[in-house]
Amino acid sequence: MNILAIETSCDETAAAVIGDEAKILSNVVVSQIDIFAAYGGVIPEVAARSHLEAILPVIHQALDDAGLAKDDIDCIAVTYAPGLLGSLLIGTLTARTLAILWHKPLYAVHHLKSHIYSNWLHDDINQDHTTLPNFPLMALVISGGHTQIIYMPEHNKFEIIGTTRDDAVGECFDKIAKILGLPYPGGPSIAKVAEHGNSNKYKFPHPKVDGLDFSFSGLKTAVLRAVQADCNLPITTPSYELAKHLAGQQRADFAASFQATACDILLEKLQIALEGHPEARATVFAGGVSANQVLRQKALVGPKNSLRSDFWHPHADLQVFFPEPRFSGDNAAMVGAAAYYEIIAGSQAVDPYKLNILPHTPIK
Ligand code: AMP
Ligand code: MG
């Protein structure tokens, strides 16, 4: 089976061809980061226009890279939810049109499901299948728009057991990067500067939210207040005024201390979720923030990525997966992987004349 997958939910225009067992045949991503770095964030209308310019060349490239023509494609998969309205429209309208013109079945894939299934992608069909996640599993979806703990009893079944009550963790990285005067997107900028920082320099409180829910807006304010205090500025100083008062080492220490706190908050809740589900056999991380190396180091050790026994005890037999960094951000390969596991489970194709986008709908 060859799946042509298309992803345009935010500011990456992406197409990929995925074969049997989620094997990657090609993967093309054109990012709009350079455009939005100048603005410090995504402008939805500009994102939609950029998708429109890039989408057809990106699809051609994905087919060329896979060495396939349209007749070799068995079906088309596209992100229909959630995301930016205009961005989702460009991808779905393109996929619907191709499905109609090429007479191919069309599958509509939820974006968070795609992020989770980035952990099933591989380059080699003869891989050892013991290296795939076992069910039941716990997924930690951490991205620019979402922070959720999702329990999966089996393929294609999702129970949201924890979610953020305010900001997503990636959004928090992006906003704190702005306070520190670091470029968009904030996650990679903070991670880079934090390499030279002391993560114990500043102590930030962990939010007291019952159960498995998260809250990141308090951490954002705590960093803001700490920066103001450290620079001897009144709390009325606007956040955009702060960066120029920070010295290089001070900025690095704030970045490192914030990053460590954010990672600890994520892992603490994940631990509580696993305590409530001792039957879980795997944990998968998913979404842009899963590229964070400190998060990875707090969970795994050594070249073989063994579990850090101090952290995962008593789940010593748990499998832990992080997507390859190239698949942690938005891409279409993960859309193809999610579609593949839907199709082999008997999921129905959608009507290309009727597929709607759903910018806010939760995973199901
Ligand atoms: P996504 O929404 O899945 O496309 O992921 C984008 C989000 O991931 C943005 O908020 C980025 O700042 C964040 N991000 C990307 N790389 C990293 C990183 N290395 N550490 C922390 N956050 C990151
Ligand atoms: Mg995403």
Side-chain angles (χ1 to χ4, degrees):
M1 183 192 323
N2 292 325
I3 305 170
L4 172 65
I6 297 171
E7 150 66 34
T8 63
S9 66
C10 188
D11 59 345
E12 265 92 25
T13 316
V17 181
I18 295 300
D20 283 332
E21 296 178 20
K23 180 181 158 100
I24 306 149
L25 303 179
S26 68
N27 181 44
V28 181
V29 182
V30 171
S31 175
Q32 301 169 12
I33 279 178
D34 291 346
I35 301 172
F36 296 123
Y39 299 100
V42 179
I43 301 171
E45 288 75 12
V46 177
R49 281 170 195 273
S50 304
H51 283 309
L52 190 56
E53 282 173 20
I55 188 77
L56 290 179
V58 164
I59 290 171
H60 279 297
Q61 188 69 47
L63 288 171
D64 281 356
D65 288 357
L68 298 174
K70 72 174 171 27
D71 292 343
D72 304 313
I73 295 297
D74 297 296
C75 60
I76 297 173
V78 67
T79 310
Y80 78 104
L84 299 173
L85 188 147
S87 293
L88 287 169
L89 269 179
I90 304 299
T92 50
L93 285 170
T94 307
R96 290 168 61 185
T97 308
L98 292 180
I100 293 165
L101 290 176
W102 294 356
H103 305 288
K104 309 284 180 191
L106 177 64
Y107 293 88
V109 184
H110 192 281
H111 185 63
L112 296 195
K113 177 170 183 175
S114 300
H115 271 302
I116 292 173
Y117 275 86
S118 63
N119 288 285
W120 275 260
L121 284 166
H122 61 93
D123 289 309
D124 179 9
I125 200 158
N126 295 317
Q127 70 162 349
D128 173 4
H129 283 267
T130 57
T131 59
L132 292 178
N134 285 313
F135 292 92
L137 66 77
M138 202 65 78
L140 183 66
V141 180
I142 40 180
S143 69
H146 298 87
T147 308
Q148 295 191 330
I149 304 179
I150 299 174
Y151 179 71
M152 290 182 69
E154 55 184 278
H155 271 300
N156 303 306
K157 294 252 184 311
F158 308 92
E159 295 167 23
I160 302 171
I161 58 173
T163 194
T164 182
R165 298 199 181 163
D166 39 57
D167 292 352
V169 60
E171 191 181 350
C172 191
F173 268 90
D174 294 336
K175 287 177 176 167
I176 286 174
K178 270 195 180 174
I179 294 172
L180 300 180
L182 298 169
Y184 173 86
S189 314
I190 286 187
K192 189 152 178 269
V193 171
E195 285 172 17
H196 311 288
N198 172 2
S199 60
N200 294 314
K201 179 76 194 278
Y202 302 99
K203 296 275 172 252
F204 299 119
H206 290 205
K208 293 200 167 37
V209 186
D210 289 342
L212 296 172
D213 282 352
F214 297 95
S215 165
F216 282 98
S217 67
L219 177 57
K220 190 182 61 193
T221 310
V223 176
L224 175 69
R225 294 285 176 255
V227 172
Q228 288 166 330
D230 223 45
C231 297
N232 294 316
L233 294 165
I235 59 167
T236 47
T237 316
S239 56
Y240 56 83
E241 290 274 330
L242 296 174
K244 63 176 184 244
H245 296 277
L246 285 167
Q249 189 58 47
Q250 202 182 9
R251 178 179 286 114
D253 291 343
F254 271 115
S257 301
F258 156 70
Q259 175 176 247
T261 309
C263 294
D264 287 341
I265 291 170
L266 292 171
L267 292 175
E268 270 167 25
K269 287 283 167 161
L270 179 60
Q271 264 177 325
I272 300 171
L274 288 167
E275 276 161 23
H277 287 275
E279 74 286 6
R281 297 175 67 198
T283 287
V284 302
F285 289 78
V289 183
S290 67
N292 190 276
Q293 290 303 309
V294 167
L295 182 68
R296 209 186 160 102
Q297 285 155 15
K298 281 177 181 284
L300 302 172
V301 276
K304 288 193 166 168
N305 287 334
S306 316
L307 300 190
R308 278 203 31 195
S309 52
D310 48 339
F311 175 73
W312 296 99
H313 175 80
H315 304 280
D317 297 330
L318 200 75
Q319 301 170 288
V320 178
F321 294 85
F322 281 81
E324 274 184 55
R326 64 186 168 135
F327 298 128
S328 58
D330 290 343
N331 65 86
M334 66 185 191
V335 179
Y340 173 79
Y341 283 96
E342 275 189 22
I343 293 165
I344 59 168
S347 174
Q348 293 301 306
V350 297
D351 182 343
Y353 288 95
K354 291 191 179 151
L355 174 64
N356 259 329
I357 56 161
L358 295 171
H360 301 292
T361 199
I363 193 169
K364 36 178 192 302

